[in-house]
Amino acid sequence: MAHTRTTDVLIVGAGPVGLSAAAELRRRGVHCRLVDRLPARLPYAKAVGIQPRTLEIWDRMGLARAVLEVAVPMRGQSIHINGREVARIELALPPEVPYGFAALPQYETERLLEEYVAGLDTTVERGTELLSFTQDQDGVTARLRTAAGVDEELRTRYLIGCDGAHSTVRKGLGLSYEGGAFPEEYMLGDVEADWDLPYGYGLRSLHHAEDGSTDDVLVAIPLPGTGRYRMSMMVPPELSAQGRDASGDGVAHGLEGSRAPELSHIQAVVDRLAPTPTRVSALRWSSVFRISHRIVDSYGDGRVFVAGDAAHIHPPTGAQGMNTGIQDACNLAWKLALVLDGEAGPALLASYDAERRPVGEEVVGRTVRHATQGMETDPEDPSTLMLREAQLLVAYRDGPLAGSAYGPDDAPQPGDRAPDCGGLTVPIAAYPLRLLDVLRGRTGHVLLLYASDAADLARAAEAGAVVAAAVGGRKTPGAEPAAFAGLPGSGPDGRGPESSLQTVAVLARESATAPGTGSIPGYVDAAGEFARIYRPDGPTGFLVRPDGQLGARFPLAGTAAALTGYLAALSVPA
């Protein structure tokens, strides 16, 4: 066995979730290793839907532009039953939402994320398998087998299992994975179709039997390329393998590559269910797959965590799975980074399960309900349902990090997503900016100070300095306060280190002086969009977490008192 090597975080599984975890950790300077047992990326368009919330996360990372250049828009879906169009769903969102729905093959998503991580000096160690692990109070010892067949012992401070439905990490932790499996089998195919379906629209075509049950289905999602779609449908009898558990672990979920449908199998379904006579061609890949719905009883134990399919699996309805997993990774990564940097206590990591498992439970329940009863039976009004499907309503108001509410009940409150807005101006730029432009590239918390008077902003910045004494978190006696204790910042430029809290001023109207206060950058809410969306109650502060959720909302007159509780929860105990 090779000698023990060390790293901060070992990530097992280099799909979209594992790559996202690596990206979020590496851009915060955390050393990690990313291993995957497969020798190369799979060329399969498995998860293809990209939700608007995921694009917002990628925007903050600086990855969104690369995705937009290769993805296709998802504008809606045409629904047919027994050969007749019964509905056409338009995937419309409020104008302040910066991104719409998109479709991109999973292999392309992985390529873009892998290139991003490579730009941060981290590569995927292909053909490397996690054999086992043990953990103690100080870290985790993992046994790996490399592509060369060499067994290696690795010492790491934390371990994240992003290794899918058949997760070795989950099994090693002994976590339960309760749920069940759908009896139906399906097949997927990446093909070209010569129908005249409008650009950016998908198709859901069903056949209902006399008793009202669905006995035939065709779902087509557009992909990049002329006339290219990922199609899914029920498996014909000759390809069925009912009762067989290909994985051997009782979890019937995912692709079964040994049974590849041919173009003729797909054409037969298209002949039955396409709205117009259609020929399919240019089959890139195909597979049979099974669907289960399961969720773990805990997203982690000690220094080991699970994310993505290792924690929750469910029907692909609404393209929720990969996007939920990416948000798992984002939620965990910023917390791990703070703990590893000594800026937060280990207790912060318990908030990962507290915040994300309720989200996983809701997604599993909703997708199972939509898959069995149809999305049209959902009791929510269509606009709310659309926001939920876009994952813009994910919130942690009941979580351990959510501070006290302030202002109107229906305004963004602690735990909610921090909405984007446009119309922010600075004296030099000849064009308005969005809030996402202000947040892009920042890896830590951002404190937004809003007021109609520049003097109010100056007083708030001065009051914020009291937080340093109020929080009292220090890495070592006599050392500088933890980064969160410095407000607006302790660095030479007034902003502190890149991982620290950073402060931005938002002024309601133009003033005789620059909108900032001293070293704090400032913007003018020239279009009034910030005020309309955030609904500040007088001079108000908003603390935006690294994952784009609100951590606190408070009156500027009480900046120090309002932030003390939240920041104390993150700081290293004295």
Side-chain angles (χ1 to χ4, degrees):
M1 182 177 294
H3 294 297
T4 300
R5 297 169 62 185
T6 60
T7 192
D8 288 330
V9 181
L10 171 64
I11 303 168
V12 181
V17 178
L19 286 162
S20 296
E24 293 286 11
L25 288 169
R26 288 298 298 128
R27 75 189 194 96
R28 291 175 171 85
V30 175
H31 297 289
C32 61
R33 288 180 63 181
L34 177 58
V35 302
D36 195 290
R37 64 180 181 82
L38 297 176
R41 285 194 305 271
L42 294 176
Y44 303 151
K46 294 188 293 181
V48 299
I50 307 295
Q51 301 295 352
R53 182 60 178 143
T54 298
L55 287 168
E56 289 183 349
I57 290 172
W58 285 345
D59 187 297
R60 191 157 182 177
M61 289 169 51
L63 182 64
R65 180 174 61 85
V67 175
L68 297 178
E69 290 176 349
V70 295
V72 295
M74 277 295 298
R75 295 175 173 169
Q77 185 179 67
S78 176
I79 301 177
H80 293 246
I81 297 179
N82 292 359
R84 183 173 64 90
E85 186 177 56
V86 298
R88 179 165 292 195
I89 298 174
E90 302 294 334
L91 299 179
L93 294 167
E96 64 267 16
V97 177
Y99 295 109
F101 298 84
L104 189 67
Q106 182 171 325
Y107 57 80
E108 278 291 276
T109 298
E110 292 178 358
R111 177 184 66 82
L112 293 173
L113 282 166
E114 192 169 340
E115 290 176 355
Y116 181 93
V117 170
L120 297 171
D121 297 324
T122 299
T123 58
V124 179
E125 299 178 40
R126 298 284 181 189
T128 299
E129 182 179 6
L130 174 70
L131 301 177
S132 63
F133 64 89
T134 58
Q135 64 172 314
D136 52 51
Q137 185 176 354
D138 299 318
V140 181
T141 301
R143 289 185 61 243
L144 304 173
R145 178 162 295 160
T146 69
V150 176
D151 286 1
E152 175 190 348
E153 188 173 88
L154 174 70
R155 184 67 174 171
T156 180
R157 296 175 69 180
Y158 293 95
L159 168 64
I160 308 176
C162 305
D163 47 345
H166 309 292
S167 170
T168 298
V169 175
R170 184 188 66 245
K171 295 171 188 175
L173 281 178
L175 301 176
S176 69
Y177 202 39
E178 298 300 324
F182 285 82
E184 299 87 1
E185 292 179 286
Y186 299 88
M187 59 184 182
L188 287 175
D190 180 350
V191 298
E192 291 182 5
D194 63 2
W195 55 30
D196 57 355
L197 200 66
Y199 176 69
Y201 280 77
L203 170 71
R204 181 177 179 85
S205 183
L206 312 174
H207 183 271
H208 285 175
E210 292 184 1
D211 62 359
S213 63
T214 299
D215 59 9
D216 209 358
V217 61
L218 169 65
V219 177
I221 305 297
L223 297 177
T226 303
R228 185 159 289 279
Y229 292 81
R230 191 207 68 183
M231 295 186 177
S232 57
M233 57 212 72
M234 290 181 177
V235 165
E238 65 268 25
L239 291 178
S240 177
Q242 288 284 359
R244 189 180 77 179
D245 175 17
S247 66
D249 62 3
V251 179
H253 190 83
L255 303 182
E256 296 185 9
S258 61
R259 295 179 287 149
E262 298 178 359
L263 193 62
S264 59
H265 294 114
I266 298 172
Q267 183 68 61
V269 179
V270 170
D271 289 342
R272 296 195 301 268
L273 296 177
T276 59
T278 300
R279 176 178 173 271
V280 295
S281 60
L283 177 66
R284 276 187 183 161
W285 71 273
S286 63
S287 179
V288 171
F289 72 102
R290 298 285 302 275
I291 299 173
S292 288
H293 50 94
R294 296 178 181 271
I295 189 166
V296 292
D297 56 336
S298 175
Y299 274 34
D301 181 20
R303 292 176 172 267
V304 184
F305 306 90
V306 289
D309 284 0
H312 47 80
I313 52 175
H314 43 80
T317 311
Q320 300 294 290
M322 178 185 71
N323 294 274
T324 301
I326 288 172
Q327 291 183 47
D328 291 343
C330 183
N331 183 288
L332 177 59
W334 72 263
K335 296 171 181 177
L336 275 175
L338 290 181
V339 172
L340 287 164
D341 282 345
E343 295 179 356
L348 172 63
L349 301 178
S351 68
Y352 170 59
D353 176 81
E355 291 185 337
R356 292 304 298 171
R357 189 152 56 93
V359 173
E361 291 171 342
E362 189 278 330
V363 169
V364 171
R366 174 161 44 94
T367 54
V368 169
R369 191 168 61 251
H370 287 173
T372 55
Q373 303 174 19
M375 190 178 296
E376 62 275 8
T377 65
D378 196 289
E380 288 191 308
D381 69 87
S383 59
T384 301
L385 178 59
M386 193 64 62
L387 290 171
R388 194 171 305 284
E389 292 291 303
Q391 300 194 334
L392 299 173
L393 298 184
V394 171
Y396 312 127
R397 285 197 182 189
D398 298 326
L401 300 182
S404 300
Y406 172 69
D409 291 339
D410 57 352
Q413 293 290 348
D416 293 347
R417 160 183 167 264
D420 187 39
C421 67
L424 301 178
T425 64
V426 291
I428 300 174
Y431 55 89
L433 301 173
R434 303 193 67 91
L435 184 57
L436 276 178
D437 297 323
V438 177
L439 298 177
R440 186 178 301 119
R442 301 181 191 268
T443 58
H445 287 68
V446 177
L447 180 61
L448 303 174
L449 306 178
Y450 177 90
S452 58
D453 191 307
D456 288 329
L457 296 178
R459 284 192 292 270
E462 293 172 2
V466 179
V467 175
V471 175
R474 295 175 180 272
K475 296 181 180 180
T476 56
E480 287 297 314
F484 284 103
L487 177 68
S490 56
D493 60 356
R495 300 197 316 167
E498 181 59 27
S499 62
S500 71
L501 183 148
Q502 297 175 325
T503 308
V504 173
V506 179
L507 193 60
R509 58 177 181 268
E510 296 284 356
S511 66
T513 60
T517 59
S519 60
I520 300 176
Y523 299 83
V524 175
D525 184 24
E529 288 192 29
F530 187 96
R532 178 178 62 84
I533 293 171
Y534 279 80
R535 301 179 65 190
D537 189 1
T540 306
F542 304 87
L543 184 66
V544 182
R545 299 177 3 168
D547 56 1
Q549 305 290 124
L550 279 180
R553 175 190 174 112
F554 50 89
L556 291 191
T559 301
L563 285 182
T564 295
Y566 179 85
L567 301 184
L570 273 57
S571 295
V572 178

